[in-house]
Amino acid sequence: MFNPPDPFFSYAVLIDAIALILTLLLILAAIYLRMALNRRVQQERDFFAVWRPLMLSSLDSSVWAALPSLASSDRMYFLKLWNDLMRSATGNASGNLIRIALGVGADRFSRRMLRHGSRAECLLATIALGYLRDHSARDALVTQTMAADSVTSLHAFHALVRIDADTAASELTPLMLAREDWPVAQVASILQPSQSAFMLPLLEATAEIRATHLARTLRLIEALHLTLPHATIASLLQQENPQTVIGALRIANDVGLLPLIRQHLHHPDWRARLQSARALGRIGEYTDVNRLVPLLADKEWWVRYRSAQALVGMSFFSLTEAEMLRTNLSDRFARDMLAQAIAERYAS
């Protein structure tokens, strides 16, 4: 008598066969990826074996008369190595490296990467075009500064500053101040070599920019150690916006501003009280000692700490006076904070 095949057995065999095929495919894919990785590693080693000695030798001597050919697959390696060396190269070394880059057409393929490359290619190309001061790439780089990706956009801005700082300052300062995703410290580092170009636009921004960007403007001015006119800072110190006041207090270094600075020692925003204390520590007078003492008992730890630092940092306030003040303080937290500041100040 004929017995039909068990359907469950057939399904099990089919599932086992599919699982075996998938396992084999995964093994083959892993082998392929490993082989591809090994090829890339060997390709990179071969590239560096030729190009690293050449580029390093160019730092101290003139460029070789005939450059090795550069395969299209090696362009990423070239830009990585070249950008790394350009970060610290100066004078003749920088000029020699630029001649090498132009000799292999790095300006041309970097412009193509900027427009059509992957994110990694775009970043490497952006950095290279900045070092090459490639004016023909300006429009594409300006477009990149509008990118949502903060890393891509900030590198594009840096490249534009390197290419033409004056034009970047006149055209891109509003964007620079509006891009809150660009860290102030990084922007200041970018502007430092060309801060003279950005000085006037930043100073003008303190009067023209919207209040939402004014605090960022003041932080950049502080980071670049620019000096605002007395009247401008005085006006900023009288604004209602706490962020504006805080920014102005951070850059207030004129003794003529002391009356306005003192007004903020009891500001509702603890950050304003903190910055007022720091400002008095920089430019305060002997009478300001008595104004700082109450802040040693402020409800905010940072206000107490900065006030204590301001006191012991005043050149005219001696260690003996600081110790005497600490002994006479009735508030335990104030005593502890002043003791900590004294220990830090006179630790050496």
Side-chain angles (χ1 to χ4, degrees):
M1 181 177 178
F2 175 74
N3 293 321
D6 186 346
F8 293 106
F9 175 78
S10 300
Y11 289 145
V13 171
L14 179 61
I15 290 172
D16 287 344
I18 292 173
L20 179 60
I21 292 171
L22 290 175
T23 301
L24 291 173
L25 288 174
L26 287 173
I27 292 172
L28 290 173
I31 293 172
Y32 173 79
L33 290 174
R34 171 59 65 179
M35 292 175 63
L37 177 61
N38 289 338
R39 282 197 302 271
R40 286 198 298 272
V41 170
Q42 187 57 50
Q43 182 182 2
E44 187 173 5
R45 286 175 179 167
D46 293 342
F47 169 84
F48 280 106
V50 174
W51 283 94
R52 187 190 294 276
L54 187 155
M55 290 197 196
L56 289 176
S57 67
S58 74
L59 300 178
D60 300 314
S61 59
S62 59
V63 184
W64 292 4
L67 293 171
S69 60
L70 182 68
S72 59
S73 57
D74 289 338
R75 288 171 178 172
M76 286 277 285
Y77 304 138
F78 178 91
L79 291 181
K80 285 181 183 178
L81 176 60
W82 189 82
N83 286 340
D84 284 343
L85 293 175
M86 281 296 293
R87 284 190 181 94
S88 56
T90 57
N92 291 335
S94 175
N96 289 340
L97 285 172
I98 288 174
R99 282 190 284 274
I100 289 176
L102 295 176
V104 298
D107 53 334
R108 296 190 299 275
F109 67 70
S110 291
R111 287 194 293 270
R112 287 196 295 273
M113 284 183 179
L114 179 64
R115 291 180 172 86
H116 308 296
S118 65
R119 181 176 183 272
E121 290 173 335
C122 177
L123 285 173
L124 287 172
T126 296
I127 296 169
L129 291 166
Y131 283 130
L132 289 169
R133 291 173 171 77
D134 192 319
H135 286 262
S136 60
R138 283 199 76 259
D139 290 344
L141 288 169
V142 169
T143 300
Q144 289 286 359
T145 63
M146 312 293 180
D149 180 357
S150 61
V151 175
T152 297
S153 57
L154 185 56
H155 275 85
F157 175 72
H158 195 175
L160 288 164
V161 173
R162 283 197 174 109
I163 291 170
D164 187 344
D166 291 328
T167 302
S170 63
E171 296 180 355
L172 298 176
T173 294
L175 174 68
M176 174 188 73
L177 297 176
R179 295 271 330 211
E180 296 285 345
D181 56 329
W182 292 358
V184 169
Q186 286 184 248
V187 174
S189 177
I190 290 170
L191 301 187
Q192 193 68 52
S194 308
Q195 65 172 286
S196 59
F198 285 85
M199 183 180 298
L200 183 58
L202 282 173
L203 297 183
E204 290 175 343
T206 61
E208 299 174 4
I209 209 73
R210 298 200 312 272
T212 52
H213 300 146
L214 182 53
R216 180 175 172 84
T217 305
L218 294 173
R219 282 157 56 203
L220 272 171
I221 288 172
E222 178 193 11
L224 293 171
H225 305 291
L226 301 180
T227 302
L228 284 179
H230 173 98
T232 300
I233 300 181
S235 175
L236 294 171
L237 287 172
Q238 298 176 73
Q239 300 298 310
E240 294 184 0
N241 188 313
Q243 294 291 342
T244 301
V245 171
I246 292 165
L249 286 167
R250 294 175 69 98
I251 59 175
N253 290 303
D254 183 349
V255 293
L257 296 169
L258 282 173
L260 292 172
I261 293 171
R262 291 163 182 154
Q263 291 177 10
H264 297 295
L265 287 171
H266 305 288
H267 196 285
D269 192 312
W270 67 269
R271 294 167 299 175
R273 299 197 300 275
L274 181 152
Q275 293 302 332
S276 298
R278 294 186 70 188
L280 291 183
R282 291 193 304 270
I283 60 174
E285 300 170 344
Y286 197 86
T287 56
D288 291 312
V289 170
N290 291 331
R291 294 185 176 92
L292 286 171
V293 169
L295 292 184
L296 294 174
D298 194 274
K299 63 181 179 180
E300 292 290 339
W301 186 91
W302 278 108
V303 176
R304 299 198 301 273
Y305 180 56
R306 296 304 185 193
S307 299
Q309 283 187 322
L311 279 167
V312 300
M314 290 175 160
S315 59
F316 46 76
F317 195 60
S318 68
L319 174 59
T320 302
E321 291 174 300
E323 290 285 8
M324 187 179 300
L325 172 62
R326 183 183 65 82
T327 303
N328 292 328
L329 288 171
S330 58
D331 186 281
R332 177 171 61 86
F333 295 108
R335 287 198 306 271
D336 291 345
M337 190 58 73
L338 189 56
Q340 179 177 336
I342 291 171
E344 292 175 358
R345 174 70 172 81
Y346 298 100
S348 58

